[in-house]
Amino acid sequence: MSTGCLRGEGLPAPTVISIDGPVAAGKTAVGRLLSRRLGYRLIDTGSMYRAVAWLALERRIDPSDEDALKRLAELTPVDITQRDGREVVIIAGEDVSDRLRTPEVEQVVSLVARVPGVRKALVEQQRRIAAGGRIVMVGRDIGTVVLPDAGLKLFLLASPGERARRRYLELEQSGQQVNQQKVLDDLLARDKLDSERADSPLRPAEDALKLDTDDLSLERVVARILALIRED
Ligand code: DC
């Protein structure tokens, strides 16, 4: 783990934790386990961008039509709730939880996420959700833009090869036919769009702890974060 613990000794555990990082660095898995261990709520903001992308596809909105995407995001809030221990994502009255990881959504989501009007609408919702505290929020710009005052900021890293391997297994397990090289190419293309966009590009906050997960199991990553929290 890299330098710079953010919290002084004797402070209570942070009630707002941000986790950012590139595609398939383990953010959601780590966030889910960490939030369970702490009894906090998990919000995966990627699923909010995916939900808007899904709705844009449903309504046949051109992913280059920024005004239409902005209006869509402003008029249709994304609701994330817990049901039977899993996160349920609802947009325009539909439970889309199982429809957000298709190749069609993956193809357009980074285009949708780079539209400033879409980001503004979703960031407002994310800040409202986080205002209640006891939350782990996962995304790309949580530590830098959405919650700059988060008590603990994590930035997860892993090599492209390892991230492609994880993503490949995930897609295979969900029954999708995939080609390993294509998974790597798509992942790098999305990273590029996410890192090079003008509004809120993917980057670690200055006070984020960088954690390389290449050689660590999920359990070990979470154990390290919990040790860090409890150290104080
Ligand atoms: O984490 P993910 O793969 O589910 O994210 C889907 C897309 O949304 C990805 O291209 C990056 C974008 N995103 C973003 O721009 N800001 C966030 N806070 C979360 C995700």
Side-chain angles (χ1 to χ4, degrees):
M1 187 166 314
S2 86
T3 57
C5 186
L6 311 166
R7 301 166 46 238
E9 300 219 343
L11 289 178
T15 62
V16 175
I17 298 175
S18 64
I19 305 182
D20 293 299
V23 177
K27 303 179 300 290
T28 307
V30 167
R32 184 169 294 120
L33 189 56
L34 180 66
S35 63
R36 282 198 188 138
R37 296 273 156 87
L38 291 169
Y40 286 10
R41 184 169 179 201
L42 171 73
I43 295 290
D44 175 6
T45 59
S47 64
M48 299 173 83
Y49 289 94
R50 286 170 184 266
V52 174
W54 176 84
L55 191 59
L57 287 170
E58 278 288 298
R59 301 208 175 154
R60 310 218 184 290
I61 293 173
D62 182 337
S64 64
D65 186 345
E66 298 206 0
D67 285 340
L69 291 172
K70 172 177 181 278
R71 271 198 308 279
L72 187 72
E74 283 171 353
L75 294 173
T76 20
V78 184
D79 189 22
I80 304 188
T81 54
Q82 295 277 329
R83 208 175 286 160
D84 304 326
R86 65 184 266 273
E87 300 94 45
V88 175
V89 184
I90 296 167
I91 190 164
E94 289 224 41
D95 177 351
V96 293
S97 319
D98 295 331
R99 288 180 254 172
L100 301 179
R101 297 197 171 263
T102 61
E104 292 77 18
V105 169
E106 302 246 299
Q107 222 174 8
V108 297
V109 66
S110 287
L111 299 174
V112 171
R114 71 178 180 179
V115 177
V118 170
R119 303 201 68 81
K120 187 164 179 291
L122 292 186
V123 167
E124 276 169 16
Q125 293 172 46
Q126 290 155 11
R127 287 189 179 140
R128 266 202 303 277
I129 296 170
R134 297 181 68 82
I135 194 161
V136 176
M137 193 169 271
V138 173
R140 301 289 190 291
D141 58 341
I142 310 303
T144 49
V145 174
V146 181
L147 304 171
D149 297 329
L152 178 63
K153 298 182 186 177
L154 302 162
F155 194 88
L156 298 192
L157 295 158
S159 61
E162 174 60 18
R163 293 191 287 123
R165 192 187 68 82
R166 291 177 191 168
R167 193 80 190 99
Y168 176 78
L169 289 176
E170 205 178 282
L171 290 169
E172 217 184 21
Q173 272 163 16
S174 70
Q176 295 185 45
Q177 297 275 339
V178 278
N179 166 299
Q180 229 160 339
Q181 184 60 44
K182 182 162 185 332
V183 171
L184 177 62
D185 292 345
D186 288 353
L187 180 147
L188 293 175
R190 276 215 287 144
D191 277 354
K192 189 167 154 58
L193 280 171
D194 294 340
S195 319
E196 293 181 358
R197 67 177 176 230
D199 186 352
S200 322
L202 167 69
R203 62 177 174 79
E206 272 179 23
D207 51 356
L209 295 162
K210 292 191 193 131
L211 186 52
D212 189 331
T213 68
D214 254 14
D215 301 316
L216 290 178
S217 66
L218 174 59
E219 282 287 344
R220 292 282 298 277
V221 174
V222 172
R224 280 202 187 185
I225 299 169
L226 287 171
L228 188 83
I229 290 173
R230 287 167 183 159
E231 191 168 274
D232 292 324

